[in-house]
């Protein structure tokens, strides 16, 4: 709980919820008390839908909602005047509203046209022109209040959330590599390999979530008067960083399966090779958890030396697919994550270092 209270991302999400409530209540008060509109239910409803996670989306969705609400009111007016209020008329009106919402520009408001028409018609406003004008004014007030609240009261920026998600995924890559290094010994079995593969699949899910936050961060900067967080570095490169992280996760899965195939075939590992390779795996794991790009460059050089040393050894030919594959996997991980560690999306001052590995 204490960690949640210190999390700026959690504070941003909480503030958005408070802003949504405030916008809905203010819209109701303005519509009912200031303008004296009867049954001002569309005002808070519109405000509730307009306060989005980004300012840009609030404007975009607000405009779409106004258009959808106008279409809904007009549809209710036409239905009430020409068909009346009966089951057949209601079904026809709802079907028409849903068909209108299938237009590509209104797909985000899939039910707004039909829902607005339903509210207006069933409250007896469908044939009262002055009431219909009031419904449109309700909607406009709700949209306007929602936009003002979202823009003026700490407009949301998602760059820090995206940066922390990217940083967390990179660290988790290091954690999984450290786990593989710890478990890759004489007692290593297929169950360990299955857990490594499962861990890589969880990382895939984390990467997907980070991609969603990156897209939201890019959108949140549009039309936003606030500047990016001071602890976020180079937000424009987030996409490239995640792409490299995705490659590293794929290499981990390939590495785990290579080890699994060797276990299934009961191949006997060369102790010296395994010790050296596992040591390099530990180094990469530590470097990723501590954002140490120079250490990753050193590991790449050591991997080249390992390959060179064993290319002169008279090892059984059967071993070389495993040895070569594992060396290549580590080299690709180190190369991919080198730029990730060097980019450092969240400044080092915002997190603490971990202990160095034994070399």
């Amino acid at each position: 709980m204490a960690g949640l209270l210190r999390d700026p991302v959690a504070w941003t999400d909480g503030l958005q919820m408070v802003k949504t409530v405030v916008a809905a209540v203010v819209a109701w008060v303005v519509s009912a008390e200031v303008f004296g509109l009867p049954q001002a239910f569309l005002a808070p409803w519109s405000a509730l839908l307009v306060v989005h996670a980004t300012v840009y989306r609030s404007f975009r969705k607000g405009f779409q909602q106004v258009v959808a609400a106008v279409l809904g009111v007009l549809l209710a007016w036409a239905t009430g005047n020409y068909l009346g209020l009966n089951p057949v008329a209601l079904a026809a009106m709802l079907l028409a509203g849903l068909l209108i919402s299938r237009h590509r520009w209104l797909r985000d408001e899939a039910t707004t046209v039909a829902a607005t028409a339903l509210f207006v018609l069933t409250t007896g406003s469908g044939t009262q022109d002055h009431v219909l004008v009031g419904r449109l004014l309700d909607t406009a007030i709700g949209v306007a209040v929602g936009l003002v609240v979202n823009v003026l009261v700490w407009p949301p920026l998602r760059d820090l959330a995206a940066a922390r998600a990217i940083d967390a995924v990179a660290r988790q890559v290091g954690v999984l590599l450290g786990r593989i290094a710890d478990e890759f010994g004489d007692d290593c079995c297929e169950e360990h390999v299955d857990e490594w593969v499962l861990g890589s699949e969880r990382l895939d899910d984390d990467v997907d979530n980070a991609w969603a936050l990156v897209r939201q961060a890019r959108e949140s900067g549009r039309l936003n008067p606030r500047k990016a967080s001071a602890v976020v570095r180079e937000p424009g490169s987030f996409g490239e960083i995640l792409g490299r992280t995705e490659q590293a996760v794929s290499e981990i899965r390939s590495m785990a399966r290579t080890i699994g195939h060797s276990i299934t075939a009961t191949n006997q590992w060369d102790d010296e090779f395994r010790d050296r390779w596992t040591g390099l795996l530990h180094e990469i794991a530590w470097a990723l958890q501590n954002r140490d790009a120079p250490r990753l460059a050193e590991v790449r050089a050591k991997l080249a030396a390992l390959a060179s040393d064993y290319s002169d050894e008279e090892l059984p030919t059967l071993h070389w697919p495993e040895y070569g594959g594992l060396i290549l996997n580590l080299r690709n991980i180190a190369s991919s994550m080198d730029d990730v560690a060097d980019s450092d999306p969240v400044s080092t001052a915002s997190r603490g270092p971990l202990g160095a590995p034994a070399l």
Side-chain angles (χ1 to χ4, degrees):
M1 185 64 180
L4 187 64
L5 292 175
R6 292 192 298 268
D7 186 357
V9 178
W11 274 102
T12 299
D13 291 339
L15 182 59
Q16 280 299 105
M17 288 190 287
V18 173
K19 286 167 57 177
T20 303
V21 173
V22 169
V25 173
V26 171
W28 170 268
V29 171
V30 171
S31 182
E33 302 297 332
V34 177
F35 287 89
L37 298 175
Q39 299 180 340
F41 53 84
L42 286 180
W45 183 57
S46 299
L48 202 65
L49 297 178
V50 166
V51 180
H52 283 276
T54 66
V55 172
Y56 168 76
R57 185 164 298 187
S58 287
F59 277 101
R60 182 172 178 270
K61 294 282 288 184
F63 186 63
Q64 286 180 329
Q65 190 181 341
V66 168
V67 172
V70 170
L71 291 174
V73 169
L74 293 176
L75 184 59
W77 176 85
T79 302
N81 280 278
Y82 294 103
L83 297 179
L85 179 58
N86 56 70
V88 175
L90 193 63
M93 182 190 70
L94 291 176
L95 180 61
L98 293 174
L99 288 174
I100 292 172
S101 297
R102 289 181 63 85
H103 188 280
R104 62 181 181 84
W105 198 81
L106 287 173
R107 282 177 183 170
D108 290 342
E109 300 291 329
T111 60
T112 302
V113 176
T116 303
L118 181 64
F119 287 153
V120 172
L121 184 65
T122 55
T123 54
S125 307
T127 57
Q128 303 176 43
D129 294 350
H130 69 284
V131 177
L132 291 178
V133 173
R135 298 289 78 79
L136 293 176
L137 185 56
D138 285 341
T139 301
I141 290 172
V143 170
V145 170
L147 289 175
V148 169
V149 169
N150 209 27
V151 172
L152 297 185
V153 182
W154 199 255
L157 273 175
R158 298 292 173 171
D159 55 337
L160 181 57
R164 288 188 179 277
I166 293 171
D167 186 65
V169 172
R171 287 198 171 211
Q172 287 304 311
V173 169
V175 170
L176 180 56
L177 290 175
R179 177 181 175 184
I180 295 173
D182 290 336
E183 296 176 350
F184 183 43
D186 293 332
D187 297 330
C188 185
C189 60
E190 293 182 24
E191 285 75 13
H192 290 116
V193 174
D194 291 341
E195 287 297 319
W196 302 340
V197 172
L198 183 60
S200 71
E201 292 172 349
R202 293 195 190 101
L203 282 175
D204 280 333
D205 293 337
D206 292 339
V207 170
D208 290 341
N209 292 334
W211 270 117
L213 287 171
V214 166
R215 289 189 289 269
Q216 200 173 79
R218 290 170 177 169
E219 184 180 286
S220 71
R222 302 173 67 178
L223 305 178
N224 197 318
R226 287 177 58 202
K227 294 182 179 180
S229 173
V231 299
V232 176
R233 298 180 179 176
E234 300 181 14
S237 64
F238 285 174
E240 181 181 354
I241 295 172
L242 273 180
R244 291 182 173 275
T245 304
E246 282 180 320
Q247 180 183 350
V249 174
S250 297
E251 293 290 345
I252 292 174
R253 190 152 46 243
S254 172
M255 183 173 68
R257 286 172 175 160
T258 297
I259 296 174
H261 294 327
S262 180
I263 293 173
T264 302
T266 63
N267 289 337
Q268 184 66 38
W269 286 86
D270 180 79
D271 290 336
E272 182 183 352
F273 174 86
R274 182 164 60 186
D275 290 343
R276 289 179 63 180
W277 184 86
T278 303
L280 294 176
L281 185 56
H282 271 298
E283 287 195 56
I284 293 178
W286 181 88
L288 291 180
Q289 293 178 69
N290 289 273
R291 291 288 186 183
D292 192 339
R295 175 63 64 83
L296 290 175
E298 294 174 7
V299 171
R300 288 204 307 273
K302 293 177 181 179
L303 283 168
L306 178 62
S308 176
D309 291 344
Y310 274 83
S311 64
D312 296 332
E313 295 286 343
E314 295 181 359
L315 293 172
T317 304
L318 183 63
H319 284 24
W320 268 109
E322 283 86 357
Y323 291 175
L326 293 179
I327 291 174
L328 184 61
N329 288 142
L330 277 195
R331 189 197 68 181
N332 290 343
I333 292 172
S335 298
S336 298
M337 300 303 289
D338 188 358
D339 289 338
V340 176
D342 191 50
S343 65
D344 197 11
V346 181
S347 67
T348 307
S350 67
R351 54 176 179 261
L354 301 179
L359 304 180

